[in-house]
Amino acid sequence: MRSTPRPGAVSSTVRRGLVAAAVLAIGSTAAVATATSANAAVSCKVTYDASEWQGGMSANITIQNLGDALSNWTLTFTFPNSGQKVAQGWSANWSQSGSNVTATALDWNKSLATGASTNIGFNGTWTSSNPKPTDFKVNGVSCNGTPQSPSPSPSQSPSRTPSPSPSQSPSQSPSPSPSQSPSRTPSPSPSQSPSQSPSQSPPPGTHVDNPYVGATGYVNPDWSRSAANEPGGSRVSNISTAVWLDQIGAISSGSAGNNSMGLREHLDEAVRQDAANGSAPLTIQVVIYDLPNRDCSALSSNGELKIAQNGLARYKSEYIDVIAGIMADSKYSNLRIVTIVEPDSLPNLITNVSNFQACQEAQSSGAYVQGVQYALNKLHAIRNVYTYVDAAHHAWLGWDSNFGPMVNLFYQVATGTTAGTSSIDGFILNTANFSATVEPYFNINTTVNGQSVRQSKWVDWNYYVDEQSFAVGLRNALVAKGFPNTLGMLIDTSRNGWGGSARPTGPSTSTNVDTFVNQSRVDRRIHAGNWCNQSGAGMGERPKAAPAAGLDAYVWIKPPGESDGSSSAINNNEGKGFDRMCDPTYTGNSLNGNSMSGALGGAPVSGHWFSAQFQQLMQNAYPPLS
C-alpha cells in the first residue's frame, strides 16, 4: 500500500530568520591551482560566492578539477579578518583554527574526475568586516596557474568524463526575533516577465515555455469520482488535480484510499481526454514523491525507502527509471506532462537537519540532492515532460537565513545536472499547504502606528506575507543567480481560499500591530506553521494559466478532500504513523509557537477520503463556488 502526501509537515513550520540589514552579493573569486604529484598533475579552479547580512553570511564554494582524476581532496583557505567564523557547513567536514579554514571531502564527493566539480558551503558570522578569502589551496597546492598536463607515466589513464557531484544545504536553527527590522524589502514584480503565450500554437509534443497556456487540464477519474459522490461535489469534480506517485507500487496500482489507477492508466485516460477536447493540448500533473528518508521531519507521511537500506539505488532503478520509461512511450508524446518533483525534500535540508536524524542522514549521504538530480536528468530528457521542483512556502523559507541558502542550494542542484539550470522548468510553492495566495489588506511594507507588520507575532519578521509575493521574490533571486528568464512559478491554491464568514472584508482599524494583522489577514490559521487538515480552510483560486507576471499557473496539486494524516493513532497496513500536528487537542511545540494544531477531528490516515474536510473546503471556498 502507498503513503500519500500531507501538507507541509512539521518541516513546513515557521523558521525565524537572522537579523539581515541587507542581502549583498559579495561576488566571486576564482583561482586555479596546479601541482605535480608522483603520478598526476593536480590542477583546480575554486569559485567563492556568498551573500551577507549584518553579522552573518552564507558562502558557496565550487571546486572544479582541471587536472588528473582525484581520489580525495582537502580545501584550505584563510579568512582575511579575525572576526570571520564558519558556523555551520555542508557537503564537507569543516573545521577552523584561528583564521585558517579546512574542508575535507565526504565519501560521496571525494572522487573528482577530470573536469568534474563539487559544491560545498557554509553559514558563518563576522564582526567588523567581511572580506572574501583568496588564498585557496587544494591538497596543499596554492592556486597559481592554468590546467597542467598529466605526467608522462601514470599507471593508467584517468577518466575524462565529468561526473558532477551533488551539493548539500546547511541546517538552520531559528533565531530569536531581531530587535530591529532589516531594511531589505522584496521586489514587487519580476525583473522581467517571461513570455507566457506563443503567437501560434506549437506542434503537439513541442516543449513550450509555459505548459499551461492554451491547454486543458487532466481530470483525475479517481478524485473526480470521490468529489462527485459528495453533496454539492459536482461543482468541482471536473477540476484538474494531480496524480500522486507516493510509492513504487503506486506506479502500477495507484496511491492510497480511493485512488486505484496506475500511471499508465492515467496517461491512457489523458490521451482519451486530449482527443475529446479538440485541438487544445492537455496538461497532466504527476507528483514525484518517494525519495529515501522522505519527509524526514514528519511522521504522517514518511516514505517506504530508507537510505540505510539501499534506498537511493532503489529510488533510481525501481521508481524513477520506471516512471521515465512509461512517460517516454511515444503514444504519450502529445501530452504535456508536468512533474512536481519531491515536495518538502530540499527545503528540509535548509531548516531541519539539526533536529531530525533522518534529515541529517539525507544531508550527509547526499541522497536528497542526488535523488532529485537523477530525477531531473531522467525526466528532462523526455521532450514533453516539464519539471517543477518544490520550494516549500513563504512561512518556511521567507527569512533571509533560509531564503539565501535555499536559492544557493537550488542553483547547486541544477548545475549538477546534465542540462544545468535548463533541467528545471520552474518551481512550485504551497504544495499541499494552506498559505494565502495574496493577503489583500496588508503587505510587507504596511506599518501600523509606526511599526512594521514584520514585528507582529503572525509575520514574525518574515520578509513575505503571502505566496504570490514570495513567488515573485524567489523567482527574481533565482534568475539573478543564473536560472533562465523563462523560469516559471506555480502556486498550489487547492486549499488556501479562506473564505466563509470568518474572512475579513477590509483592513483592520486597530493601531496595535498584532491586532491589525490578526484582524486583517485572510489566512485564518492559528499559526502559520500549522499544516494538517486545517479547520476553517476553503478551496482557493481555480486552476488558471499565467495569472500574473512570472507565474505559469495556479494549480490544484493536493486533491481537496484527501486527508493529511489521522487525528489519532490508527492501525494500518500502509506504514503511516501518527503525527500530533494532526490531533486537534495537541497544544503544539516550538515549531508552531506552542500553538494549538488547528486540525480537524475525525480524520483518517493520510491519503484517504475525508468527507468532513471536503465539505468544509467547499463551504469556505474563495472565490465562492457557484
Side-chain angles (χ1 to χ4, degrees):
M1 303 296 288
R2 274 73 47 201
S3 88
T4 53
R6 85 287 173 266
V10 175
S11 59
S12 297
T13 186
V14 170
R15 300 285 176 175
R16 291 191 184 93
L18 300 176
V19 182
V23 174
L24 303 174
I26 294 179
S28 63
T29 180
V32 179
T34 62
T36 302
S37 63
N39 291 314
V42 178
S43 177
C44 77
K45 179 179 180 182
V46 175
T47 303
Y48 181 96
D49 184 46
S51 297
E52 72 172 31
W53 54 91
Q54 186 58 47
M57 59 176 161
S58 181
N60 289 275
I61 299 172
T62 301
I63 303 171
Q64 183 180 12
N65 179 25
L66 301 178
D68 290 347
L70 295 175
S71 60
N72 210 338
W73 54 263
T74 296
L75 173 73
T76 59
F77 62 88
T78 303
F79 278 130
N81 190 300
S82 61
Q84 295 171 291
K85 304 292 182 185
V86 172
Q88 200 165 39
W90 61 94
S91 298
N93 295 309
W94 290 88
S95 61
Q96 183 172 349
S97 177
S99 295
N100 299 316
V101 179
T102 300
T104 59
L106 300 176
D107 285 343
W108 60 267
N109 66 355
K110 66 182 181 181
S111 297
L112 288 178
T114 301
S117 299
T118 189
N119 294 290
I120 63 176
F122 64 88
N123 283 344
T125 59
W126 56 275
T127 52
S128 58
S129 63
N130 190 35
K132 58 193 176 187
T134 58
D135 63 335
F136 297 101
K137 297 180 181 179
V138 173
N139 293 351
V141 180
S142 297
C143 300
N144 62 2
T146 58
Q148 300 294 303
S149 300
S151 58
S153 57
S155 57
Q156 60 182 4
S157 299
S159 169
R160 289 293 175 184
T161 303
S163 57
S165 298
S167 59
Q168 293 295 335
S169 165
S171 61
Q172 281 288 346
S173 300
S175 63
S177 295
S179 58
Q180 60 184 3
S181 171
S183 59
R184 172 180 173 270
T185 55
S187 172
S189 60
S191 56
Q192 184 178 349
S193 175
S195 172
Q196 293 291 354
S197 55
S199 57
Q200 58 184 4
S201 298
T206 301
H207 196 96
V208 298
D209 176 25
N210 184 345
Y212 293 90
V213 167
T216 56
Y218 172 70
V219 178
N220 181 342
D222 283 340
W223 179 81
S224 180
R225 187 180 309 109
S226 295
N229 286 337
E230 291 282 342
S234 60
R235 293 174 294 174
V236 297
S237 59
N238 285 324
I239 289 178
S240 178
T241 56
V243 173
W244 287 75
L245 300 180
D246 56 349
Q247 196 172 33
I248 292 168
I251 301 172
S252 59
S253 56
S255 58
N258 298 338
N259 300 307
S260 61
M261 295 173 64
L263 178 59
R264 275 200 180 275
E265 291 175 282
H266 281 295
L267 293 174
D268 288 341
E269 171 63 15
V271 170
R272 189 197 66 78
Q273 291 184 21
D274 186 27
N277 284 336
S279 60
L282 185 136
T283 297
I284 177 173
Q285 302 162 126
V286 179
V287 181
I288 307 300
Y289 186 58
D290 200 27
L291 273 176
N293 286 32
R294 188 185 72 198
D295 280 355
C296 58
S297 63
L299 296 176
S300 67
S301 55
N302 291 158
E304 63 183 340
L305 301 177
K306 305 302 177 187
I307 293 171
Q309 299 171 5
N310 203 34
L312 181 59
R314 292 190 62 197
Y315 176 78
K316 293 177 178 180
S317 63
E318 299 177 44
Y319 183 72
I320 294 298
D321 286 353
V322 177
I323 291 171
I326 294 172
M327 290 181 175
D329 192 319
S330 61
K331 67 179 177 178
Y332 308 130
S333 61
N334 288 346
L335 299 174
R336 295 179 180 178
I337 304 173
V338 167
T339 55
I340 307 301
V341 180
E342 296 297 346
D344 290 356
S345 59
L346 297 177
N348 264 312
L349 297 182
I350 297 299
T351 60
N352 291 325
V353 171
S354 298
N355 298 320
F356 299 93
Q357 190 278 330
C359 295
Q360 294 169 13
E361 190 178 25
Q363 181 202 52
S364 63
S365 67
Y368 272 17
V369 169
Q370 293 178 60
V372 169
Q373 288 176 327
Y374 189 85
L376 291 172
N377 281 337
K378 287 289 186 176
L379 297 172
H380 174 77
I382 308 168
R383 184 178 62 175
N384 61 312
V385 171
Y386 300 79
T387 53
Y388 289 83
V389 174
D390 184 79
H393 53 87
H394 87 278
W396 187 347
L397 299 177
W399 292 269
D400 270 2
S401 56
N402 299 339
F403 186 94
M406 191 75 256
V407 169
N408 292 336
L409 179 59
F410 285 149
Y411 184 74
Q412 292 168 7
V413 169
T415 54
T417 63
T418 303
T421 55
S422 296
S423 68
I424 299 177
D425 290 283
F427 291 84
I428 182 167
L429 307 176
N430 210 42
T431 307
N433 211 275
F434 297 83
S435 295
T437 302
V438 174
E439 285 288 358
Y441 304 126
F442 67 98
N443 59 49
I444 202 63
N445 298 313
T446 302
T447 59
V448 180
N449 197 23
Q451 287 186 290
S452 167
V453 293
R454 295 188 64 240
Q455 296 173 259
S456 68
K457 291 180 180 179
W458 173 260
V459 180
D460 194 23
W461 297 101
N462 201 311
Y463 277 114
Y464 302 93
V465 300
D466 55 33
E467 291 307 295
Q468 193 143 303
S469 63
F470 180 59
V472 169
L474 180 59
R475 182 182 179 277
N476 285 344
L478 290 166
V479 171
K481 186 70 177 176
F483 280 88
N485 194 55
T486 53
L487 194 72
M489 309 298 287
L490 304 178
I491 298 176
D492 188 347
T493 60
S494 60
R495 305 184 302 177
N496 72 346
W498 295 106
S501 59
R503 184 183 177 90
T505 57
S508 171
T509 58
S510 175
T511 58
N512 177 278
V513 68
D514 282 320
T515 302
F516 173 87
V517 170
N518 286 333
Q519 292 180 350
S520 301
R521 59 184 171 91
V522 297
D523 185 339
R524 304 312 301 168
R525 285 179 292 177
I526 297 170
H527 190 277
N530 289 350
W531 56 264
C532 191
N533 299 328
Q534 289 298 284
S535 178
M539 296 173 180
E541 291 274 0
R542 286 16 138 210
K544 180 189 303 182
L551 269 64
D552 278 358
Y554 295 149
V555 292
W556 281 18
I557 299 303
K558 172 68 177 183
E562 291 189 3
S563 174
D564 303 318
S566 59
S567 302
S568 59
I570 297 176
N571 290 329
N572 65 86
N573 61 354
E574 300 172 25
K576 297 172 182 176
F578 170 50
D579 197 305
R580 288 298 305 278
M581 288 297 288
C582 300
D583 177 359
T585 69
Y586 185 48
T587 55
N589 52 46
S590 62
L591 301 180
N592 78 330
N594 294 300
S595 304
M596 297 297 292
S597 70
L600 288 170
V605 294
S606 62
H608 288 249
W609 192 255
F610 189 8
S611 177
Q613 182 199 51
F614 185 78
Q615 287 295 326
Q616 187 177 94
L617 290 171
M618 289 195 298
Q619 177 184 346
N620 295 330
Y622 193 91
L625 300 178
S626 56

